[in-house]
Structure formats: C-alpha cells, structure tokens
Amino acid sequence: MPNYDRRGFLRLTGAAAATSALTSACSGSSLGDDGNSADGGPVKIGLLLPEGGVYKAPGDDQRAGWNLYLELNKNRLGGREITVVTAPEDENPDTTKANAEKLLKKDKCLVVAGIVSSANIIPVQKMFTEAKVPLLSTNASPAPVQGVKYGWRSSFQNADPTLAIAPYIAKTVDGPITLITANYAAGQDHAKVLDKVFKTIGGKLAGDPIFTPFPMTASFQPYLKQIEQQKPKAVYCFFAGADAVKFVKEYEQFGLSEKFQLYAPGWLTEGGILNAQGDSAKGILNSLNYSADLDNAANRKFVAEFQRKNGRAPTCFSVQAYDAGWILDKAIAACGDEVTSERLEKEIGEIGQIDSPRGPWEFGKHRSPVQKWYLREVKKDGDVLANVVIDELSTVGVD
Amino acid sequence: MGVFGWFDSHLVSIVDGVAFGLLLFTLAAGLSLVFGMMDVLNLAHGTLYLAGAYLAYLLSDGSWAGFLAAIAAGVAVGAGGGALLTGMTQPLARRGHLDQALLTIGVALIGAEVFLLVSRGDPLPAIEPAALGTSISLSGQTYPAYRLVFIGVAALLAVLVYLVFERSTLGALVRATVSDREMVQALGVDTRKVLLAVFAFGGALATVGGVLGAPIIGPAPGVDENVLVLSLVVIVVGGLGSIRGALVGALYIGQVQSLGVVLLPEYAPFLIFGSMFLVLALRPQGLVSLARTA
C-alpha cells in the first residue's frame, strides 16, 4: 500500500492555500520625531505605495516620479521643509489599512499620497474621510470614491480611456467590434462604458463581450478562437500585467493581429510590459492620459530629468505621482503659516489648473482629473519600441 | 459536419491543449513523485518553474547557443534546488505535513521576493530561438511554430521519464521506495540517496520546463503560484505518486483548458475545478490509481 492517504493530502493542500493567503508585509520606516508642523517645523506627508508584490512595477514608477519632484524642489514644498513617512501598500487591503492607520495615528501625517490598487483605496478612503485627513491617490480611482470628501486623485477615473477612445473607434472602424477583457471589476467597467457609448453614438459590438479568467488566463487560444467566430472588424481589449504580455503575444502568434486592428486602454502597453511584449505589440492603438513623447515644455524637462535619474523613460504612473508633488507644493504654499489637514483639503479644492507634463488639467466635481486623452500607436521610435502619440482624443472627466 | 470536420475545426485547440498539458506534466511529474516517495508536498515547486523562466530571459537571446545554455543552466539550477530542498525537508520528515508545507511555502515566498528584487516587478521577455519564432498554418489556422516543437521535445521528455521510472531497474527501485520504504531499506538500499536523486530529478524537470515553457508562460510575478496550483490539480486528478498519473492528469487538464473552454465558453471560470470535482466524485483515487499497479 502507498504510505500516504488522499484525505490527508487534500487537507494539506487546503492548509497550504490558506497559509499562502496570510502573507503580510512588515510595516515601513518611520521617523521618531513628532514634528509640529503648524508652527514652521517640517510638514509631515505620508507616502503609501507598493514596495513588493504584483504592483511593484507601478509602485516603483510612482516613487520615482514623486522623488523627482521633491529632488527638483530641494525637498521643500510650498516653501516649507517636509518630512516624508513611507509605508508599504500591500495586495491585501487589511494590511494596507493597518499601514495607512499607522500613517494617520502614529505618524500624524497631515496628508497622504499614493495607492495603486482599487481594492485598497475603498477601505482606506473611508478611514481618511472619517479622520478628516486628505488622501491624494496617485493611481487608484474606482467609482465608489468619486466625489467623497477628503479624497483627491491625480490619475483618472477607471473607465476614462475607454470613454475617450470609444467615439474614435466608432467613427474609424467600418463594422462591428469584439470586446475582450479580464473578468474583474475594472474589466467589467470598461465593457459597460464601451457598450454605453456605442449605444448613444451608433457603434456596434460583434457579439457578447468575452471575459477571460482573472488573475491569470493560462491559455488565451480558446478566447482568440471566440474572437474569430464573432467575425469583427476590430478588437478592443483590457488587460494588465502578465496577462497583457501573454494576450498581446498570442494575439500576434495566432495570426489575429493581421486580421483585426487591436485597440485598448494604454496600460496594455505601458512601461516594462511593452518591453516584454516586444515586436508583437507593433501597431496597437491605445488611449492614455500621457506619453513620454508629448511635446510641451513641462514634459521635455520632466522626461530629461527622469531619464537622467532613473535611466529609463517615465510612465503615466510616474507623471501622476509627480503631479501629486506639484499639487501639494501649491496647496501648502496657499495654506500660509497654518498648515493643517482641513486647510489642505480646502486649498487642494481651489488649486485651479495643474501645470503637468501630460498637459494642463484640473479637478472636476468628482475630485478626479478633467484631462485630455491621447491616441498612441506602438511603433519603433529610433531603436526602441514606444507608444507614440498620433492624435488627440477628447477631454474626459467633465461632470 | 462529420466527426472528421469537427476534429479539423478544433485541431488548433486540441494541439494547444496538448502543448499546455505537456508543460504541466514537467511540473506535476516531480511534484507527484516527491510527494509519493517522501511524503513532502513541495509548495516551492512553482518557484523552480519560475527560476527556469527567468533563466530563459537571462540566457536565451534568440540563438540556439543561448537556448541550449538556458536548458543546461536549468538542469543545474533545478537539480541543485531539488537537492537543497531535500536537505531542508528531511530534518522535518517526522514532524508531519504541515511543518514541511510551511517550510516550502517560506522558500516559495523568499524566492518570489528575490525574483521581484531582480526583475523590478515587470513581466520580462522570454524569446524562443529565432528559427522557431514564426507561425505556421495548421489546417488553415495560424499556429505558433515553437509550440509544435515544444510538444515534440516535451513528449520526448515524457516518454523518457516514463521508460526510466516504469520500465527500468532503477525505476523499479524508485517505485519500491514509494510503496514501502522500510522494506527497501531492509534490502540494504540507502533510500536517502534514492530520495535525493528523485527530488533533484523532479527539480531539474520543473526548471527545464520553465526554460522551455517561458515563451508560453513567461517570467512574471505570480506565475510561480499559478503553475503550482495547476500542477496540484493535475496530480489530484491524475492520481498521486506515479508518472503515468501525472501524464494522464496533465493531458486531461490541458484539454479542459483549451478544448473545454471552446466548447463550453460560458463555464470557462469553473471548468478546471469543476472537472477536478467530477474526477474526485467519480474516481476518488484519481484517473490512474497507484493501487492498481502495486
């Protein structure tokens, strides 16, 4: 007889799965001094960004953008010296909540910037609204936090890129579109928005949206076959991270890129992901609020400094965090001598136009950006593959 | 549409299911043998695959030389990793499954963090040899050529592993150790060496699987966990402790993932675990029961 039993094995597998869910991050660095910022001492700002896990890459890009703004301003915002207290954002919202609570209660930060993941911001925003401390999200921006007091976003609203590009697709593509997306909240939002815009302006879907398993689709081949069965004229997709790499590669390898033009929110081909996709991403048309090749004075300076310091081009994530630095710079200056959380909340609301490398933008009533979106094409820019701006889409985010 | 027409229109899905199944086999074979023989559930097995995928990124530059170098490095790293895990888990042999599971989860977590540190968290490119980087026509549909070659190589590996473990004297010794370790010890065999060899072999197979599989499931954070879960499903479905079980389970899950999703798209998210449930309900000992061969 074999010297093991199946029930024991299954119990063990279950225990193993449960244990792996218990991975927790240790809390970040904190400075012991309790600077009193209301009377001329350093202003304490919290920075809550991923330092590991699946969101490490956007977390690193955001930290680099934030640090660059501070460095260019000699670690002073609004004429005041600042102390930045960092804490890690974890994939697990409970751990992130605990780290955010530490920034609030123990470190007594007057304002906190950061947060990449939508799943994290919902509970964290609730905590900040109750504590009356402003939370300036540098990325996460799902529907439930829009318009909530003591919450601001320097990023976008989740479905904005789709809202911006849908009229362009409806106008340009002569025939129906197939929609394929990872099956989770963000993907479903994009599907809903595309459908809604198409209904009002006359675009057409070739069939029901195709949803692929999240977080990882082992093989896209059966879903690519479903696309072909819908006989579309073009395809719109939403994927991120490793799925984005796999989808784009297989879309090309299985011959679909020759048949159907691929459109997507620009995160599909942003940053290091494009490097992993390589030539298979060529020709993809995508919609984003930023591109490193934007031709304006603020961006030329930003890109040059970012390249010098980090040895790579900035991404949309970097510019969103850089803008958070700009916003707090101006808001702290407007507070004058009395820098408090309540004053910062008020001054951020009155900040007006933000002079960003992505082009000027401002907060809407929902407290997220009203900004211009760009149509970008993946092509060779010199030796390297890049997202090159080929057109401007609409300004999106107006209430 | 006759049977032949049906087969023709689904050929690409079936072939891709075989490719995916054989990829899972390279992981499940080692995982199953190690559990069968040593009672060690190695939850760091996905880490060995991911190590192979990163080796492919580092060494495979589109040339044959780079590809072969990555495979050679995969054998060395995988065997070394397997040997290391033997050394780490053996002192816990009498402490029960949970302690070993905690230890190997710890190794997997540390491995994942190390990969994150060196990769900056981005998915990385892993390219096949340039000569295989094209797509060919398979019954009128486009199919990546590399996957056909992968099927050939992985099938060869599977046959070799099968012959060694099920048909050779060496394999008989391993199978005897799986069935009754004390009896083999009583025959004067140092079973610790057999255990070490099997763990090293299983590790090498998983890491080479990672090198060969990198153009299909490439190096990215989280891949270790995903392939681990899939290979656990494979050995539960196939039956524990045998090469044949791992192969049958892997090919079955491969088809569920491709042909199954094409035929039943509305049930796609449940197919893998649903089919595992089905097998457990109808044949709780797995598709290939070890009891039958013992």
Side-chain angles (χ1 to χ4, degrees):
Chain A
M1 278 297 290
N3 55 356
Y4 52 84
D5 73 296
R6 164 167 292 268
R7 188 172 298 156
F9 173 80
L10 290 177
R11 201 165 40 219
L12 179 56
T13 325
T19 319
S20 72
L22 282 175
T23 62
S24 67
C26 45
S27 73
S29 62
S30 110
L31 298 176
D33 68 312
D34 198 34
N36 187 353
S37 39
D39 59 1
V43 177
K44 217 177 233 185
I45 301 175
L47 188 67
L48 189 58
L49 285 173
E51 293 170 10
V54 297
Y55 298 114
K56 184 178 188 301
D60 283 351
D61 279 347
Q62 297 228 298
R63 228 179 334 272
W66 169 265
N67 288 340
L68 180 62
Y69 191 88
L70 292 188
E71 188 194 298
L72 293 177
N73 291 278
K74 304 192 169 53
N75 213 36
R76 295 178 79 82
L77 295 181
R80 294 283 294 270
E81 199 180 316
I82 57 154
T83 303
V84 178
V85 187
T86 63
E89 177 185 351
D90 196 79
E91 281 156 56
N92 178 351
D94 287 331
T95 311
T96 304
K97 240 172 91 177
N99 294 344
E101 194 162 11
K102 180 192 145 283
L103 291 178
L104 273 183
K105 303 219 167 114
K106 179 164 173 286
D107 301 314
K108 300 193 168 41
C109 294
L110 293 181
V111 55
V112 172
I115 303 211
V116 165
S117 144
S118 293
N120 281 329
I121 200 170
I122 295 171
V124 171
Q125 182 62 62
K126 195 162 170 277
M127 186 195 296
F128 276 70
T129 306
E130 281 165 10
K132 299 198 167 164
V133 173
L135 176 66
L136 177 53
S137 165
T138 48
N139 192 62
S141 183
V145 300
Q146 303 303 324
V148 173
K149 280 189 180 155
Y150 289 91
W152 303 92
R153 271 111 3 230
S154 62
S155 47
F156 46 78
Q157 294 180 68
N158 269 351
D160 278 355
T162 300
L163 207 55
I165 200 177
Y168 175 86
I169 296 174
K171 195 180 71 192
T172 319
V173 179
D174 180 26
I177 309 290
T178 288
L179 172 68
I180 180 165
T181 165
N183 194 9
Y184 69 112
Q188 289 154 2
D189 280 353
H190 288 283
K192 261 183 250 159
V193 165
L194 189 75
D195 193 41
K196 206 172 125 196
V197 177
F198 272 17
K199 276 202 177 105
T200 53
I201 61 171
K204 204 171 153 253
L205 287 178
D208 289 336
I210 300 168
F211 291 107
T212 66
F214 181 79
M216 190 184 107
T217 302
S219 171
F220 280 107
Q221 183 275 330
Y223 304 97
L224 297 174
K225 192 173 165 90
Q226 288 179 40
I227 293 178
E228 302 216 52
Q229 284 165 345
Q230 290 197 358
K231 298 189 172 37
K233 287 286 182 206
V235 175
Y236 189 70
C237 76
F238 171 78
F239 292 104
D243 269 354
V245 175
K246 215 167 141 49
F247 179 81
V248 165
K249 278 177 80 172
E250 296 190 3
Y251 193 82
E252 192 260 342
Q253 288 174 341
F254 284 87
L256 278 79
S257 58
E258 287 170 8
K259 296 183 203 158
F260 322 114
Q261 172 66 47
L262 187 60
Y263 297 88
W267 304 302
L268 185 79
T269 54
E270 187 71 353
I273 293 174
L274 181 58
N275 179 37
Q277 290 160 337
D279 284 349
S280 60
K282 262 189 197 162
I284 293 174
L285 294 173
N286 63 84
S287 153
L288 206 63
N289 56 353
Y290 178 71
S291 169
D293 74 333
L294 282 178
D295 193 18
N296 65 59
N299 190 47
R300 277 192 297 271
K301 180 184 161 202
F302 172 67
V303 173
E305 295 287 353
F306 194 96
Q307 278 277 11
R308 175 187 59 78
K309 209 178 155 207
N310 302 289
R312 62 177 196 271
T315 62
C316 65
F317 304 110
S318 332
V319 83
Q320 288 163 189
Y322 180 86
D323 283 359
W326 192 98
I327 291 163
L328 294 181
D329 192 3
K330 301 297 178 268
I332 290 170
C335 286
D337 286 342
E338 190 210 347
V339 186
T340 62
S341 294
E342 286 83 2
R343 270 302 290 277
L344 282 169
E345 161 81 356
K346 178 172 166 285
E347 297 302 341
I348 293 172
E350 290 172 4
I351 209 154
Q353 186 171 294
I354 290 139
D355 182 21
S356 165
R358 67 183 113 159
W361 62 270
E362 54 192 57
F363 286 114
K365 279 202 195 95
H366 39 58
R367 298 163 164 246
S368 292
V370 177
Q371 63 189 329
K372 192 176 280 169
W373 289 75
Y374 302 95
L375 181 67
R376 319 186 306 173
E377 182 182 354
V378 177
K379 52 178 159 186
K380 278 261 156 50
D381 183 13
D383 281 348
V384 290
L385 216 51
N387 289 284
V388 178
V389 172
I390 55 170
D391 207 349
E392 285 181 3
L393 297 165
S394 45
T395 295
V396 165
V398 186
D399 310 77
Chain B
M1 188 164 67
V3 173
F4 193 76
W6 181 91
F7 186 78
D8 195 47
S9 74
H10 290 100
L11 184 64
V12 165
S13 299
I14 294 168
V15 169
D16 204 52
V18 172
F20 193 74
L22 287 171
L23 179 60
L24 290 180
F25 170 76
T26 63
L27 278 149
L31 193 62
S32 182
L33 280 180
V34 167
F35 186 78
M37 284 187 71
M38 309 162 98
D39 238 12
V40 171
L41 180 58
N42 176 22
L43 296 172
H45 215 70
T47 310
L48 293 167
Y49 176 92
L50 190 53
Y54 277 112
L55 284 174
Y57 158 73
L58 287 174
L59 300 172
S60 183
D61 53 359
S63 69
W64 287 107
F67 187 62
L68 293 175
I71 292 175
V75 171
V77 168
L84 199 66
L85 282 162
T86 321
M88 292 170 79
T89 48
Q90 276 314 289
L92 298 180
R94 304 204 179 283
R95 300 263 302 268
H97 287 152
L98 198 58
D99 287 356
Q100 294 174 342
L102 283 174
L103 178 83
T104 51
I105 280 186
V107 172
L109 289 175
I110 293 169
E113 284 302 316
V114 170
F115 290 137
L116 264 180
L117 283 178
V118 296
S119 73
R120 223 182 65 79
D122 279 323
L124 293 170
I127 45 174
E128 55 282 271
L132 305 176
T134 55
S135 291
I136 55 149
S137 177
L138 199 65
S139 77
Q141 296 179 59
T142 312
Y143 194 73
Y146 177 78
R147 294 191 184 205
L148 285 181
V149 177
F150 175 85
I151 289 176
V153 175
L156 196 68
L157 266 179
V159 169
L160 271 176
V161 171
Y162 177 81
L163 288 179
V164 169
F165 277 87
E166 308 261 339
R167 288 285 177 270
S168 74
T169 332
L170 195 66
L173 184 65
V174 172
R175 278 178 292 133
T177 315
V178 171
S179 293
D180 193 337
R181 200 191 300 183
E182 282 79 10
M183 186 57 82
V184 176
Q185 280 166 342
L187 292 172
V189 177
D190 186 351
T191 52
R192 285 173 308 175
K193 281 186 191 148
V194 182
L195 300 177
L196 180 73
V198 168
F199 216 142
F201 178 80
L205 201 58
T207 310
V208 169
V211 172
L212 296 174
I216 302 173
I217 299 181
V223 162
D224 44 354
E225 224 171 284
N226 286 314
V227 294
L228 175 70
V229 170
L230 285 172
S231 42
L232 286 173
V233 172
V234 163
I235 62 174
V236 169
V237 166
L240 295 163
S242 81
I243 290 294
R244 219 181 312 170
L247 186 58
V248 170
L251 291 175
Y252 173 77
I253 293 298
Q255 288 308 326
V256 166
Q257 278 278 63
S258 58
L259 191 59
V261 174
V262 169
L263 297 178
L264 302 165
E266 59 270 47
Y267 300 110
F270 315 108
L271 274 180
I272 284 210
F273 293 102
S275 61
M276 179 170 89
F277 175 78
L278 203 69
V279 170
L280 283 179
L282 298 177
R283 232 185 122 73
Q285 70 275 44
L287 292 173
V288 177
S289 150
L290 199 64
R292 208 182 38 170
T293 57

